[in-house]
Amino acid sequence: MNLKEILNWRYTTKEYDATKKISDADMAEIKNLLRMSPSSVNLQPWHFIVAETTEGKARVAKGTQGFFSFNEPKVTNASAVVLFCVKTDADDAYYQHIADTEDKDGRFPNDDVKNGFLGAVKTFAGIHKYDLKDLQHWMEKQVYLNIGSFLLGVASLGIDATPMEGIEVKALDEEFGLREKGYTSLVAVSLGYHAESDFNSTEKTPKSRLAESEIFTLI
């Protein structure tokens, strides 16, 4: 499929075929999509819990109880579920870790370039931490960038997906001990193949978007 076809094909899946599983090769591609996503100053303020087993999906499904119970089948019947988590803080030690990792990967020809990069990271993070006082929100934005590229990427593999903000964050944070590790859960994305009975499938329901004339200003 070309890009237009992929965009027209993908949609938010409402019902999964529990008998269909994502191949190991595609799961490797999916993990690479998560890892290679862009982020501001390469901050990578994320962690991913990838549930493929029945037991793992049941643990994620603990975040779909009560009010969000309508999302439970989308977790348990999917082939896999990714829980996107965001850092709750970032400090000089983490910025140094990012710079050291880039250095190890060969991105810096000398220490001056490395120190310049590290200074830029601290500057931009400092603006959000001290001036704008929105460091947490800024890091969440980076995770949402990842989710956006992730949804397009899995669609290019012919895999259906369902992003879900309808989760009990506190329950999932407790289930996986996230806050003690410096993270909190943000969004869950189910992956797999839609059931024939899925009413929201693009095979049954055409996609709808605002007209180009309404959303574009061409200058």
Side-chain angles (χ1 to χ4, degrees), residues 28-77:
E29 295 275 18
I30 285 166
K31 291 166 187 172
N32 195 48
L33 266 173
L34 293 167
R35 181 169 175 263
M36 298 303 293
S37 177
S39 60
S40 181
V41 294
N42 202 25
L43 194 65
Q44 305 167 73
W46 45 55
H47 185 79
F48 312 102
I49 295 172
V50 183
E52 299 180 67
T53 65
T54 300
E55 295 76 15
K57 288 182 287 183
R59 292 182 69 184
V60 176
K62 291 181 180 180
T64 60
Q65 305 306 303
F67 180 78
F68 297 119
S69 60
F70 56 87
N71 276 330
E72 184 173 4
K74 302 184 188 79
V75 172
T76 56
N77 291 332

Side-chain angles (χ1 to χ4, degrees), residues 57-164:
K57 288 182 287 183
R59 292 182 69 184
V60 176
K62 291 181 180 180
T64 60
Q65 305 306 303
F67 180 78
F68 297 119
S69 60
F70 56 87
N71 276 330
E72 184 173 4
K74 302 184 188 79
V75 172
T76 56
N77 291 332
S79 178
V81 184
V82 178
L83 182 61
F84 287 73
C85 309
V86 61
K87 287 182 70 66
T88 54
D89 197 8
D91 56 18
D92 285 353
Y94 183 69
Y95 308 146
Q96 186 67 54
H97 173 57
I98 293 295
D100 289 344
T101 300
E102 292 213 11
D103 194 13
K104 182 180 178 181
D105 289 338
R107 289 186 54 82
F108 305 128
N110 54 59
D111 286 343
D112 286 343
V113 175
K114 178 180 179 179
N115 291 333
F117 167 78
L118 183 57
V121 174
K122 289 182 178 181
T123 296
F124 280 98
I127 288 171
H128 288 280
K129 188 168 188 174
Y130 300 110
D131 302 334
L132 300 177
K133 302 188 188 319
D134 69 343
L135 178 65
Q136 177 68 27
H137 184 55
W138 181 57
M139 292 193 293
E140 288 179 3
K141 287 180 179 179
Q142 312 312 312
V143 179
Y144 273 90
L145 282 174
N146 193 313
I147 294 169
S149 62
F150 183 70
L151 293 176
L152 181 60
V154 296
S156 74
L157 298 172
I159 295 171
D160 292 306
T162 308
M164 294 173 286

Side-chain angles (χ1 to χ4, degrees), residues 192-210:
Y193 302 96
H194 68 270
E196 291 298 322
S197 54
D198 186 1
F199 73 90
N200 204 40
S201 167
T202 49
E203 298 162 3
K204 294 183 173 67
T205 306
K207 298 192 77 163
S208 176
R209 295 293 188 271
L210 296 174

